[in-house]
Amino acid sequence: METEMNLQPQPHVLLFPFPVQGHIKPMLTLAQLLCHSGIHVTFVNTEHNHLLLTQREALSARFPTLHFHSISDGLPSDHPRSLNPYFIDIVTSLRSKTGPLLHQLLVSLTSKTDVDSAADQLPPLSCVITDGLMCFAIDAADKVGIQVIAVRTSSACSVWCYLCVPKLIEEGQAPFGDEESDKMVLGVPGMEYILRRRDLPSICRAPTNHTVRQFFVEEHIAITRASGLILNTFDELESSVLSHIASKFPKIYAIGPLHALLQSRVGDDDLSSSSAAAASLRREDRRCMMWLDSQEAGSVIFVSYGSLVKLTRVQLLEFWHGLVNSGSPFLWVIRSDVLHSTEVEHANRVTPVELEMGTKERGFIVDWAPQEEVLAHEAVGGFLTHSGWNSTLQAIWAGVPMLCWPQLADQQVNSRWVGEVWKIGVDMKDTCDRATVETMIKALMHGEEREVISRAVDQYAKSARTSVGEAGSSYHNLETLISDLRTLVI
């Protein structure tokens, strides 16, 4: 079969992620899956992130059909490129300046004019797989006559909510004030009596005509022009929601958890962790793994807010007090940029003695951790998370109960599903005080509900493992995607 594959002309696909860690990582995993099947992939990062992705050569050596290319994001070199508070700066520049550059690149790759020395070895481009927040790529691809498949790196349940936001706005259910937060949402088919308004994507809290909300609405209207949609989820987890989304797209490919599917397809026990490290834009502090080795099984609460969430110093201290007072050992990721810019000058204030002492006794703090490995470690018994989708899927795969503190975008929806639908954790949405943090950590780690939650997350972990096996839904859906890509060979 491999000989036949080598004799046939192979597809050449361009992958174009939104320029942040949480989007680049799953799309780079997808790139490796496609390359493992013999497909040529040109992975296009912004120049800024291209330089941060330091293990490009190692990945290309492992997957010879993986080719990296960079493109300007149109921003000055000294721009901080932080989504908070520069989101609109970034997406405006991407649309106006990166869009035309992408079109030029597509022209070069489809016509086989020289883009770089490696381009001579590539077949003509046959498809663009773009991040669903970069839908200007659909226009660029239309101009050169090639198909586009979109990727949303968030959950299916949040994607469906985003697709329904225009209807919610029309019906007056968004935006909403604090006094309306607990009203049930009736305008998202299939989610009746599940969603409260506070559980909607965070853009639904933004005032009328807010530019960020307008951007997300525009992108989720534009995304339906794609010829298909790839989602990092699996049928058994979100089947009912996937059936609703299927009404908007010609084809849906649910192929998650991507990190687990890659390991299953390639069959290398070390691949998952090495690929995760290779896709990271931050340096991991692996000392935490030695610390975990010294802890009792199931005793540690792992805390991480992902790569984007910002905290005030007051919030940081409330979490700190709650963690120390809970009595559980804790591994805490505190990024160097976790504080809001207005709070940085207060960061060096004296830390209360009880927090210093409690951390020395039971805690370990790092700037960034190898999260997939941490969650898989037997010492970890709970995960205090921002409910980003990558983190949520990794916790499900590892069978780790979650305590959810969502802040941005899809995180509000994810946390509701974790607590109310899948019942694999508890939702601490819109709350951040030391007493609540302490109480919820104790409940998650030692409370009466822990056994019920643990059984539920174990069941979903088993379903996830089945989905990426040879007879599984995600494995089959990836085969379908690969087959469809082969039909597009120019």
Side-chain angles (χ1 to χ4, degrees), residues 315-456:
Q315 289 173 325
L316 186 72
L317 287 174
E318 291 300 306
F319 273 113
W320 205 341
H321 278 286
L323 284 164
V324 169
N325 294 342
S326 73
S328 290
F330 58 92
L331 170 58
W332 192 5
V333 176
I334 303 181
R335 305 185 323 267
S336 57
D337 62 346
V338 75
L339 291 178
H340 286 283
S341 56
T342 54
E343 299 279 337
V344 172
E345 62 186 82
H346 305 301
N348 293 324
R349 289 181 180 176
V350 176
T351 301
V353 174
E354 65 270 25
L355 297 185
E356 285 192 351
M357 294 301 297
T359 303
K360 285 180 180 178
E361 289 174 10
R362 294 186 302 280
F364 198 88
I365 296 176
V366 294
D367 185 77
W368 198 246
Q371 183 164 291
E372 289 176 26
E373 289 182 74
V374 168
L375 288 169
H377 198 285
E378 66 175 3
V380 174
F383 184 19
L384 200 171
T385 172
H386 65 306
S387 293
W389 188 236
N390 290 325
S391 294
T392 301
L393 267 187
Q394 289 165 16
I396 290 172
W397 175 257
V400 176
M402 285 167 270
L403 171 53
C404 303
W405 190 67
Q407 294 296 295
L408 304 171
D410 63 316
Q411 299 165 15
Q412 313 287 347
V413 187
N414 299 339
S415 67
R416 183 62 168 175
W417 249 247
V418 166
E420 186 68 18
V421 179
W422 300 320
K423 299 186 184 301
I424 55 178
V426 291
D427 192 355
M428 199 172 70
K429 182 181 285 114
D430 298 327
T431 304
C432 182
D433 65 85
R434 64 189 68 182
T436 301
V437 173
E438 175 187 350
T439 299
M440 287 198 163
I441 289 175
K442 286 179 176 178
L444 187 74
M445 301 299 287
H446 311 292
E448 293 179 2
E449 293 184 14
R450 177 173 175 80
E451 187 175 343
V452 175
I453 292 172
S454 294
R455 281 201 302 267

Side-chain angles (χ1 to χ4, degrees), residues 121-430:
Q121 310 300 319
L122 293 172
L125 190 69
S126 49
C127 181
V128 170
I129 299 180
T130 185
D131 194 296
L133 298 185
M134 309 275 271
C135 286
F136 59 82
I138 299 176
D139 296 323
D142 282 348
K143 290 176 182 177
V144 297
I146 57 177
Q147 282 199 32
V148 178
I149 298 174
V151 178
R152 281 301 276 120
T153 57
S154 53
S155 60
C157 54
S158 69
V159 170
W160 182 230
C161 286
Y162 276 117
L163 290 168
C164 294
V165 165
K167 180 182 177 183
L168 296 177
I169 294 172
E170 182 181 331
E171 294 177 347
Q173 296 190 68
F176 59 88
D178 291 343
E179 70 282 357
E180 302 172 299
S181 294
D182 288 319
K183 284 188 177 180
M184 301 304 293
V185 176
L186 303 177
V188 183
M191 297 186 181
E192 296 85 356
Y193 309 108
I194 296 174
L195 284 177
R196 305 160 300 179
R197 293 188 183 182
R198 69 169 72 245
D199 303 315
L200 290 168
S202 60
I203 59 167
C204 294
R205 304 183 181 213
T208 304
N209 298 325
H210 193 280
T211 50
V212 173
R213 192 178 80 181
Q214 288 177 337
F215 169 82
F216 276 91
V217 169
E218 290 166 3
E219 292 299 303
H220 283 86
I221 291 172
I223 196 177
T224 56
R225 294 166 49 208
S227 62
L229 179 67
I230 298 169
L231 290 167
N232 185 17
T233 189
F234 55 103
D235 290 349
E236 295 79 2
L237 186 67
E238 299 190 89
S239 59
S240 62
V241 180
L242 287 168
S243 65
H244 285 286
I245 296 175
S247 67
K248 300 285 187 179
F249 296 90
K251 292 190 175 181
I252 298 285
Y253 308 93
I255 57 173
L258 280 166
H259 73 286
L261 185 58
L262 178 61
Q263 187 174 347
S264 173
R265 296 279 294 201
V266 177
D268 187 339
D269 291 338
D270 296 326
L271 180 62
S272 180
S273 58
S274 63
S275 292
S280 180
L281 302 181
R282 296 174 180 270
R283 186 179 297 278
E284 297 171 347
D285 187 343
R286 298 193 58 81
R287 294 176 302 158
C288 63
M289 301 307 297
M290 294 172 53
W291 180 82
L292 285 173
D293 289 341
S294 68
Q295 305 301 312
E296 294 182 7
S299 66
V300 175
I301 178 83
F302 173 51
V303 187
S304 177
Y305 313 108
S307 59
L308 297 176
V309 168
K310 301 277 190 178
L311 278 69
T312 65
R313 178 166 171 78
V314 170
Q315 289 173 325
L316 186 72
L317 287 174
E318 291 300 306
F319 273 113
W320 205 341
H321 278 286
L323 284 164
V324 169
N325 294 342
S326 73
S328 290
F330 58 92
L331 170 58
W332 192 5
V333 176
I334 303 181
R335 305 185 323 267
S336 57
D337 62 346
V338 75
L339 291 178
H340 286 283
S341 56
T342 54
E343 299 279 337
V344 172
E345 62 186 82
H346 305 301
N348 293 324
R349 289 181 180 176
V350 176
T351 301
V353 174
E354 65 270 25
L355 297 185
E356 285 192 351
M357 294 301 297
T359 303
K360 285 180 180 178
E361 289 174 10
R362 294 186 302 280
F364 198 88
I365 296 176
V366 294
D367 185 77
W368 198 246
Q371 183 164 291
E372 289 176 26
E373 289 182 74
V374 168
L375 288 169
H377 198 285
E378 66 175 3
V380 174
F383 184 19
L384 200 171
T385 172
H386 65 306
S387 293
W389 188 236
N390 290 325
S391 294
T392 301
L393 267 187
Q394 289 165 16
I396 290 172
W397 175 257
V400 176
M402 285 167 270
L403 171 53
C404 303
W405 190 67
Q407 294 296 295
L408 304 171
D410 63 316
Q411 299 165 15
Q412 313 287 347
V413 187
N414 299 339
S415 67
R416 183 62 168 175
W417 249 247
V418 166
E420 186 68 18
V421 179
W422 300 320
K423 299 186 184 301
I424 55 178
V426 291
D427 192 355
M428 199 172 70
K429 182 181 285 114
D430 298 327

